[in-house]
Amino acid sequence: MRSKNEYLTGITFYRKSNLSHLQLLLYSHYLNTINKSIESILSYFVNIYLIDTYNLRNFRINFPTENTSYLEKIRLILPEIESILKQYKIFVDDGVIDYELLQLMSQSIVYGEIPSLSNKKYVYGKGDEFLKLKYYFFSDQSMLYYVEPFKDKYRNLYGLLLIENVKLSDFQSYQKSTIDSLIQNGYLMIDSNGYVKIREKNQLLIIWKLYLDGVVSYWCFPKSVRSIIDTMQEKGLLYFGNTLFSEPERKYFNYYLNKSEYTNGLDLRNKYAHGTNVFNEDEHKNDYLILLKILILILLKIENDLLIFENNKSINITSVRK
């Protein structure tokens, strides 16, 4: 049983979480053998690399010293995480980081409201037709893929029609009405040999990616595919997001850092900010590594946003910077 406001976790989530945790521990151990630290690497990345590479002037972060306890490190790194997000928001909005303006931003950061430098940053599915297409072509519950003589060889209609030659007469009567409607609406066709084939492979490929991940990055596709995405958006199948973080990423951060969305969130930000944390050094170390991992993800997202903007300034891209 689950609460309706619970962040969904499972075996795969914990396996990936533990793996990334171990990777961070191993990397930290390696850096210690050469008299370096993760904090020093991240400090260079923010205070030198991003400024020199992307002209992100005045962007900065402070890290705790090596001799401080993990509890002290956490209480320093949490406001620094919020600070760099506020700095980046000011940069996107105004083109320069103004620390006087930053000092006025006393409210907590909302991860879903931090803007991106680029419009059409993310693509999401929308509407009843999108949900139907996602279900008909990619769900193993639709049963449209169960066709003689292939039976259980495939788990969805898309895989079946992409690889096999299937005639309309191969479908059962309860399946034919849906297949006919997909043909009439231009998603399927009957080829010269009488086989049912996919008409718009790229369009369905986008829906498949959205079925798997819930979101796709618009600027990671070539121009030919982006034009298909634009057409699908005009038809009401998709909508764009222009925030730094995608919706799944926002949910991930909220799960770890607060309870704004989920009743089972770890609430790391609030429990340390309000002194309701446990007094156990091992747990402090574990929480600090989680926060470092989140910080690394945030910094990689910022670099990715800057890179997308730089690479696409000369081709149909509009900055949301005022």
Side-chain angles (χ1 to χ4, degrees), residues 223-271:
K223 186 177 180 180
S224 59
V225 178
R226 294 201 303 269
S227 65
I228 294 173
I229 293 175
D230 290 335
T231 301
M232 293 173 69
Q233 186 268 337
E234 292 169 1
K235 291 180 178 179
L237 292 172
L238 308 174
Y239 72 93
F240 296 121
N242 61 349
T243 53
L244 177 64
F245 302 121
S246 67
E247 291 180 8
E249 289 164 346
R250 180 209 75 217
K251 294 176 181 179
Y252 180 81
F253 292 140
N254 282 336
Y255 165 71
Y256 275 111
L257 296 174
N258 56 64
K259 287 189 175 181
S260 63
E261 282 192 85
Y262 304 108
T263 55
N264 63 330
L266 300 190
D267 203 25
L268 292 180
R269 176 197 177 277
N270 294 325
K271 77 176 185 180

Coordinates of all heavy atoms in Angstrom, one line a residue, residues 223-271:
K223 N 17.8 18.5 -36.3 CA 16.8 19.5 -36.8 C 15.6 18.8 -37.4 O 14.5 19.2 -37.2 CB 17.4 20.4 -37.8 CG 16.5 21.5 -38.2 CD 17.2 22.5 -39.1 CE 16.3 23.6 -39.6 NZ 16.9 24.6 -40.5
S224 N 15.8 17.7 -38.1 CA 14.7 17.0 -38.8 C 13.7 16.4 -37.8 O 12.5 16.4 -38.0 CB 15.3 15.8 -39.6 OG 16.0 14.9 -38.9
V225 N 14.2 15.9 -36.6 CA 13.4 15.4 -35.6 C 12.7 16.5 -34.8 O 11.5 16.4 -34.4 CB 14.1 14.4 -34.6 CG1 13.2 13.9 -33.5 CG2 14.7 13.3 -35.4
R226 N 13.4 17.6 -34.6 CA 12.9 18.8 -33.9 C 11.7 19.3 -34.7 O 10.7 19.8 -34.1 CB 13.9 19.8 -33.7 CG 15.1 19.4 -32.7 CD 15.8 20.7 -32.1 NE 16.3 21.5 -33.2 CZ 17.5 21.5 -33.7 NH1 18.4 20.5 -33.2 NH2 18.0 22.3 -34.6
S227 N 11.7 19.3 -36.0 CA 10.6 19.8 -36.8 C 9.4 18.9 -36.6 O 8.3 19.4 -36.6 CB 11.0 19.9 -38.3 OG 11.2 18.6 -38.8
I228 N 9.6 17.6 -36.4 CA 8.5 16.7 -36.1 C 7.9 17.0 -34.8 O 6.7 17.0 -34.6 CB 9.0 15.2 -36.2 CG1 9.4 14.9 -37.7 CG2 7.9 14.3 -35.7 CD1 10.0 13.5 -37.8
I229 N 8.8 17.3 -33.8 CA 8.3 17.6 -32.4 C 7.5 18.9 -32.5 O 6.4 19.0 -31.8 CB 9.5 17.8 -31.5 CG1 10.2 16.4 -31.3 CG2 9.1 18.4 -30.2 CD1 11.5 16.5 -30.4
D230 N 7.9 19.9 -33.3 CA 7.2 21.1 -33.4 C 5.8 20.9 -34.0 O 4.8 21.5 -33.5 CB 7.9 22.1 -34.3 CG 9.2 22.6 -33.6 OD1 9.3 22.6 -32.4 OD2 10.1 23.0 -34.4
T231 N 5.7 20.0 -35.0 CA 4.4 19.7 -35.6 C 3.5 19.0 -34.6 O 2.3 19.3 -34.5 CB 4.6 18.8 -36.8 OG1 5.4 19.5 -37.8 CG2 3.3 18.4 -37.4
M232 N 4.1 18.1 -33.8 CA 3.3 17.4 -32.8 C 2.8 18.3 -31.7 O 1.7 18.2 -31.2 CB 4.1 16.2 -32.2 CG 4.5 15.1 -33.1 SD 5.6 13.9 -32.4 CE 4.6 13.1 -31.2
Q233 N 3.6 19.3 -31.4 CA 3.2 20.3 -30.4 C 2.1 21.2 -30.9 O 1.1 21.5 -30.2 CB 4.4 21.2 -30.0 CG 4.1 22.2 -28.9 CD 3.7 23.5 -29.4 OE1 3.9 23.9 -30.6 NE2 3.0 24.3 -28.5
E234 N 2.1 21.5 -32.2 CA 1.0 22.3 -32.8 C -0.3 21.5 -32.9 O -1.4 22.1 -32.8 CB 1.4 22.7 -34.2 CG 2.6 23.7 -34.3 CD 3.1 23.9 -35.7 OE1 2.6 23.3 -36.6 OE2 4.1 24.7 -35.8
K235 N -0.2 20.2 -32.9 CA -1.4 19.3 -32.9 C -1.9 19.1 -31.5 O -3.0 18.5 -31.4 CB -1.0 17.9 -33.6 CG -0.7 18.0 -35.1 CD -0.4 16.6 -35.6 CE -0.2 16.6 -37.1 NZ 0.2 15.2 -37.6
G236 N -1.2 19.5 -30.5 CA -1.7 19.4 -29.2 C -1.2 18.1 -28.5 O -1.7 17.7 -27.4
L237 N -0.3 17.3 -29.1 CA 0.2 16.1 -28.6 C 1.3 16.3 -27.5 O 1.5 15.4 -26.6 CB 0.8 15.2 -29.7 CG -0.2 14.6 -30.7 CD1 0.5 13.9 -31.8 CD2 -1.2 13.6 -30.0
L238 N 2.0 17.4 -27.6 CA 3.1 17.7 -26.7 C 3.1 19.1 -26.2 O 2.3 20.0 -26.8 CB 4.5 17.5 -27.5 CG 4.7 16.2 -28.3 CD1 6.0 16.3 -29.1 CD2 4.7 15.0 -27.3
Y239 N 3.8 19.4 -25.2 CA 4.0 20.8 -24.7 C 5.5 20.9 -24.3 O 6.2 19.9 -24.0 CB 3.1 21.2 -23.6 CG 3.3 20.5 -22.3 CD1 4.1 21.2 -21.3 CD2 2.8 19.3 -21.9 CE1 4.3 20.6 -20.1 CE2 3.0 18.7 -20.7 CZ 3.8 19.4 -19.8 OH 4.0 18.8 -18.5
F240 N 6.0 22.1 -24.3 CA 7.4 22.4 -24.0 C 7.5 23.0 -22.6 O 6.6 23.6 -22.0 CB 7.9 23.4 -25.0 CG 8.0 23.0 -26.4 CD1 7.3 23.7 -27.4 CD2 8.7 21.8 -26.7 CE1 7.3 23.3 -28.7 CE2 8.7 21.4 -28.1 CZ 8.1 22.1 -29.0
G241 N 8.7 22.7 -22.0 CA 9.1 23.3 -20.7 C 10.4 24.0 -20.9 O 11.3 23.6 -21.6
N242 N 10.5 25.2 -20.3 CA 11.8 26.0 -20.4 C 12.4 26.2 -19.1 O 12.9 27.3 -18.8 CB 11.5 27.3 -21.2 CG 10.5 28.2 -20.4 OD1 9.9 27.7 -19.5 ND2 10.4 29.4 -20.8
T243 N 12.4 25.2 -18.2 CA 13.1 25.3 -16.9 C 14.4 24.6 -16.9 O 14.7 23.7 -17.8 CB 12.2 24.7 -15.8 OG1 11.8 23.4 -16.2 CG2 10.9 25.5 -15.6
L244 N 15.2 24.9 -15.9 CA 16.5 24.3 -15.8 C 16.4 22.8 -15.6 O 17.1 22.0 -16.2 CB 17.3 24.9 -14.7 CG 18.7 24.3 -14.4 CD1 19.7 24.5 -15.6 CD2 19.3 24.9 -13.1
F245 N 15.5 22.4 -14.7 CA 15.3 21.0 -14.4 C 14.0 20.5 -15.0 O 13.0 21.2 -15.1 CB 15.2 20.8 -12.9 CG 16.4 21.3 -12.1 CD1 16.2 22.3 -11.1 CD2 17.6 20.8 -12.4 CE1 17.3 22.7 -10.4 CE2 18.7 21.2 -11.7 CZ 18.6 22.2 -10.7
S246 N 14.0 19.2 -15.5 CA 12.8 18.6 -16.0 C 11.9 18.2 -14.8 O 12.3 18.3 -13.6 CB 13.2 17.3 -16.8 OG 13.7 16.3 -15.9
E247 N 10.7 17.9 -15.1 CA 9.7 17.5 -14.0 C 10.2 16.3 -13.2 O 10.1 16.4 -12.0 CB 8.3 17.3 -14.6 CG 7.7 18.6 -15.2 CD 6.3 18.4 -15.7 OE1 5.8 17.2 -15.6 OE2 5.8 19.3 -16.3
P248 N 10.7 15.2 -13.8 CA 11.2 14.1 -13.0 C 12.4 14.6 -12.1 O 12.6 14.1 -11.0 CB 11.7 13.1 -14.0 CG 10.8 13.4 -15.2 CD 10.7 14.9 -15.2
E249 N 13.3 15.5 -12.6 CA 14.4 15.9 -11.8 C 13.9 16.8 -10.6 O 14.5 16.7 -9.5 CB 15.4 16.7 -12.7 CG 16.1 15.9 -13.7 CD 16.7 16.7 -14.8 OE1 16.4 17.8 -15.0 OE2 17.6 16.1 -15.6
R250 N 12.9 17.6 -10.9 CA 12.4 18.4 -9.8 C 11.8 17.6 -8.7 O 12.0 17.8 -7.5 CB 11.3 19.3 -10.4 CG 10.6 20.2 -9.3 CD 9.2 20.5 -9.7 NE 8.3 19.4 -9.5 CZ 7.3 19.1 -10.3 NH1 7.0 19.8 -11.4 NH2 6.5 18.1 -10.0
K251 N 11.1 16.5 -9.1 CA 10.6 15.6 -8.1 C 11.6 14.9 -7.3 O 11.5 14.6 -6.1 CB 9.6 14.6 -8.8 CG 8.4 15.2 -9.5 CD 7.6 14.2 -10.3 CE 6.4 14.8 -10.9 NZ 5.6 13.8 -11.7
Y252 N 12.7 14.5 -8.0 CA 13.9 13.8 -7.4 C 14.5 14.7 -6.3 O 14.7 14.3 -5.2 CB 14.9 13.5 -8.4 CG 16.1 12.8 -8.0 CD1 16.1 11.4 -7.7 CD2 17.3 13.5 -7.8 CE1 17.3 10.8 -7.3 CE2 18.5 12.8 -7.3 CZ 18.4 11.5 -7.1 OH 19.6 10.8 -6.6
F253 N 14.7 16.0 -6.6 CA 15.3 16.9 -5.6 C 14.3 17.1 -4.5 O 14.8 17.2 -3.3 CB 15.6 18.2 -6.3 CG 16.8 18.1 -7.3 CD1 16.7 18.8 -8.5 CD2 17.9 17.3 -7.0 CE1 17.8 18.7 -9.4 CE2 18.9 17.2 -7.9 CZ 18.9 17.9 -9.1
N254 N 13.0 17.3 -4.8 CA 12.1 17.5 -3.7 C 12.0 16.3 -2.8 O 11.8 16.4 -1.6 CB 10.7 17.8 -4.3 CG 10.6 19.3 -4.7 OD1 11.3 20.2 -4.3 ND2 9.7 19.5 -5.7
Y255 N 12.1 15.1 -3.3 CA 12.1 13.9 -2.5 C 13.2 13.9 -1.5 O 13.0 13.6 -0.3 CB 12.2 12.7 -3.4 CG 12.6 11.4 -2.6 CD1 11.6 10.8 -1.7 CD2 13.8 10.8 -2.7 CE1 12.0 9.6 -1.0 CE2 14.1 9.7 -2.0 CZ 13.2 9.1 -1.2 OH 13.5 8.0 -0.5
Y256 N 14.4 14.3 -1.9 CA 15.6 14.3 -1.0 C 15.6 15.5 0.0 O 16.0 15.4 1.1 CB 16.9 14.3 -1.8 CG 17.3 12.9 -2.2 CD1 17.3 12.4 -3.5 CD2 17.7 11.9 -1.2 CE1 17.7 11.2 -3.9 CE2 18.1 10.6 -1.6 CZ 18.1 10.3 -2.9 OH 18.4 9.0 -3.2
L257 N 15.2 16.7 -0.5 CA 15.5 17.9 0.2 C 14.4 18.5 1.0 O 14.6 19.2 2.0 CB 16.0 19.0 -0.8 CG 17.3 18.6 -1.5 CD1 17.7 19.7 -2.5 CD2 18.5 18.5 -0.5
N258 N 13.1 18.1 0.7 CA 12.0 18.7 1.4 C 10.8 17.8 1.4 O 10.9 16.7 0.8 CB 11.7 20.1 0.9 CG 11.4 20.1 -0.6 OD1 10.4 19.5 -1.0 ND2 12.2 20.8 -1.4
K259 N 9.7 18.3 1.9 CA 8.4 17.6 1.9 C 7.3 18.4 1.2 O 6.2 18.3 1.5 CB 8.0 17.1 3.3 CG 8.8 16.0 3.8 CD 8.3 15.5 5.1 CE 9.0 14.3 5.6 NZ 8.5 13.7 6.9
S260 N 7.7 19.2 0.2 CA 6.8 20.0 -0.5 C 5.8 19.2 -1.4 O 4.7 19.6 -1.7 CB 7.5 21.1 -1.3 OG 8.3 20.4 -2.4
E261 N 6.3 18.0 -1.8 CA 5.5 17.2 -2.7 C 5.2 15.8 -2.1 O 4.1 15.3 -2.4 CB 6.2 17.0 -4.1 CG 6.1 18.1 -5.0 CD 6.6 17.7 -6.4 OE1 5.8 17.2 -7.2 OE2 7.8 17.9 -6.7
Y262 N 6.1 15.3 -1.3 CA 6.0 13.9 -1.0 C 6.0 13.7 0.6 O 6.8 14.3 1.3 CB 7.1 13.1 -1.6 CG 7.1 13.2 -3.1 CD1 8.1 13.9 -3.7 CD2 6.1 12.7 -3.9 CE1 8.1 14.1 -5.1 CE2 6.1 12.8 -5.3 CZ 7.1 13.5 -5.9 OH 7.1 13.7 -7.2
T263 N 5.2 12.8 1.0 CA 5.1 12.5 2.5 C 6.3 11.7 3.0 O 6.6 11.7 4.1 CB 3.8 11.8 2.8 OG1 3.7 10.6 2.0 CG2 2.6 12.7 2.5
N264 N 6.9 11.0 2.0 CA 8.0 10.1 2.4 C 9.4 10.7 2.1 O 10.4 10.1 2.0 CB 7.9 8.7 1.8 CG 8.0 8.8 0.2 OD1 7.6 9.8 -0.4 ND2 8.5 7.8 -0.4
G265 N 9.4 12.0 1.8 CA 10.7 12.7 1.5 C 11.7 12.7 2.6 O 11.3 12.7 3.8
L266 N 13.0 12.7 2.3 CA 14.0 12.6 3.3 C 14.1 14.0 4.1 O 14.6 14.0 5.2 CB 15.3 12.2 2.7 CG 15.4 10.9 2.0 CD1 16.8 10.5 1.7 CD2 14.8 9.8 2.9
D267 N 13.7 15.0 3.4 CA 13.6 16.4 4.1 C 15.0 16.8 4.6 O 15.1 17.4 5.7 CB 12.6 16.3 5.2 CG 12.0 17.7 5.6 OD1 12.1 18.6 4.7 OD2 11.6 17.9 6.7
L268 N 16.1 16.6 3.9 CA 17.4 16.9 4.4 C 17.6 18.3 4.6 O 18.2 18.7 5.6 CB 18.4 16.4 3.3 CG 18.6 14.9 3.2 CD1 19.6 14.5 2.1 CD2 18.9 14.2 4.5
R269 N 17.1 19.2 3.8 CA 17.3 20.6 3.9 C 16.7 21.1 5.3 O 17.3 21.8 6.1 CB 16.7 21.4 2.8 CG 16.8 22.9 2.9 CD 15.8 23.7 2.0 NE 15.9 25.1 2.3 CZ 15.2 25.7 3.2 NH1 14.4 25.0 4.0 NH2 15.3 27.0 3.4
N270 N 15.4 20.7 5.5 CA 14.7 21.3 6.6 C 15.1 20.7 7.9 O 15.2 21.4 8.9 CB 13.2 21.1 6.4 CG 12.6 21.9 5.2 OD1 13.1 23.0 5.0 ND2 11.7 21.3 4.5
K271 N 15.4 19.4 7.9 CA 15.8 18.8 9.2 C 17.1 19.3 9.7 O 17.3 19.5 11.0 CB 15.8 17.3 9.2 CG 17.0 16.6 8.5 CD 16.8 15.1 8.6 CE 18.0 14.4 8.0 NZ 17.9 12.9 8.1

